[in-house]
Amino acid sequence: MAFLCTSCSPPHADHLVIGAKNFTEQVVLGELLAQHIEASTGIKVERRFYLAGSYICHQALISGRIDAYVEYTGTALTAILRQPASRNPQAVFHAVQNLYQQRYQISVMPSLGFENTFAMVIRGDDAQRLHLNTLSEAAKYAPEWRLGVGYEFEQRPDGLSVLSKSYGLHFKGPPRTMDLGLLYRALNAHQVDMIAANSTDGQIAEFGLKVLEDDQHAFPPYQAVPLVREDALRRWPALRGALAELANKISVDEMRAMNEAVDAEHRDPAEVVREFRQKKGL
């Protein structure tokens, strides 16, 4: 509780506050926004990272304790705005853009260029032995498997319930809930047999794991988009242009490589982002 109170204290009027959730990709993206805003506008930026999950970040944003963070459109639509899922990326983007502006006076900026969807991951040798490529093919084996999930996946309307309904997946006992950073360790240690991870996680390639295709398109699109308070855009007019310069700058492979550099190579996220910005001429 002390951490949350410290993390969510009101920002100072003389600088911008960038937030991030508590996993690697979010820290990388938060650092990217912060570095690019500092370099291109001269605005002083405070970093408030590791703000737990989507709900804490959302509350911090609408209350003015942070000025911006990166969210995923499918998460925003279903888990935050409580709207029915859609499979059309543009329809989801426009719905999220309109609802954030109407309800919270928050602008949804253009996509950073990649999508990070839920990825149902199994061990590579299991996939090879059982000849599995899709979630539909995996359904008949699920009753013998143990599922590992992060704290949000079990509760979110676009999470476990959608997966179970679309594919008829029923597992051996209730899912084992754990911190996102522990999911891959549990899978590799055979403590679980399938995990609900993220499609841009660097550990998927690092450990030779298999992402089962969402062949029935159960999950909505999850484009990565900066959310920013409109009062911050009025206070610092150069901010909009700086964020717009990041549109479509990150491919899925580039995001996965940055995540792997931090998770597998244990590199400093700020250093990884500096290299990325130099490579992109930002």
Side-chain angles (χ1 to χ4, degrees), residues 5-25:
C5 291
T6 300
S7 299
C8 297
S9 58
H12 299 289
D14 64 342
H15 66 266
L16 186 76
V17 181
I18 298 295
K21 306 181 200 179
N22 62 345
F23 59 93
T24 297
E25 180 169 301

Side-chain angles (χ1 to χ4, degrees), residues 18-22 26-27 30 48-52 57 66 68-70:
I18 298 295
K21 306 181 200 179
N22 62 345
Q26 279 281 303
V27 173
R48 291 191 185 178
F49 299 165
Y50 302 102
L51 293 176
C57 272
I66 62 174
Y69 80 101
V70 175

Side-chain angles (χ1 to χ4, degrees), residues 71-258:
E71 189 53 274
Y72 306 94
T73 53
T75 301
L77 183 75
T78 59
I80 295 174
L81 299 169
R82 300 289 179 183
Q83 298 298 304
S86 167
R87 296 185 178 95
N88 184 315
Q90 285 307 309
V92 171
F93 178 85
H94 289 306
V96 168
Q97 190 177 49
N98 291 335
L99 287 169
Y100 267 96
Q101 199 284 325
Q102 292 167 10
R103 293 185 186 179
Y104 306 116
Q105 292 75 58
I106 287 170
S107 286
V108 178
M109 303 300 292
S111 168
L112 296 174
F114 72 96
E115 181 180 341
N116 181 1
T117 186
F118 282 124
M120 305 311 296
V121 179
I122 62 175
R123 289 179 289 274
D125 54 356
D126 286 345
Q128 192 170 27
R129 177 172 52 85
L130 299 172
H131 306 289
L132 297 180
N133 290 295
T134 68
L135 283 168
S136 293
E137 293 169 348
K140 64 180 179 181
Y141 298 102
E144 299 301 319
W145 288 353
R146 296 151 297 177
L147 177 66
V149 300
Y151 295 109
E152 286 190 11
F153 188 78
E154 189 174 6
Q155 304 298 327
R156 281 174 47 164
D158 57 336
L160 182 59
S161 60
V162 164
L163 186 73
S164 300
K165 182 178 179 182
S166 298
Y167 293 99
L169 290 174
H170 301 286
F171 295 92
K172 185 178 181 181
R176 294 189 61 180
T177 305
M178 61 191 79
D179 187 89
L180 291 173
L182 299 177
L183 287 171
Y184 288 98
R185 185 183 305 176
L187 182 63
N188 287 332
H190 290 250
Q191 295 169 351
V192 296
D193 304 290
M194 176 188 280
I195 59 173
N198 300 311
S199 60
T200 54
D201 287 346
Q203 295 98 325
I204 295 171
E206 178 188 359
F207 298 128
L209 304 174
K210 175 72 174 180
V211 176
L212 295 175
E213 180 188 349
D214 175 18
D215 53 308
Q216 296 188 30
H217 305 288
F219 299 125
Y222 295 89
Q223 298 177 76
V225 293
L227 306 182
V228 56
R229 291 176 57 84
E230 292 185 351
D231 59 0
L233 292 170
R234 288 192 293 269
R235 194 183 313 161
W236 295 288
L239 178 58
R240 185 184 295 278
L243 292 173
E245 288 172 354
L246 296 175
N248 295 313
K249 284 295 190 295
I250 311 175
S251 69
V252 171
D253 288 341
E254 289 169 334
M255 190 68 248
R256 193 175 290 135
M258 287 194 281

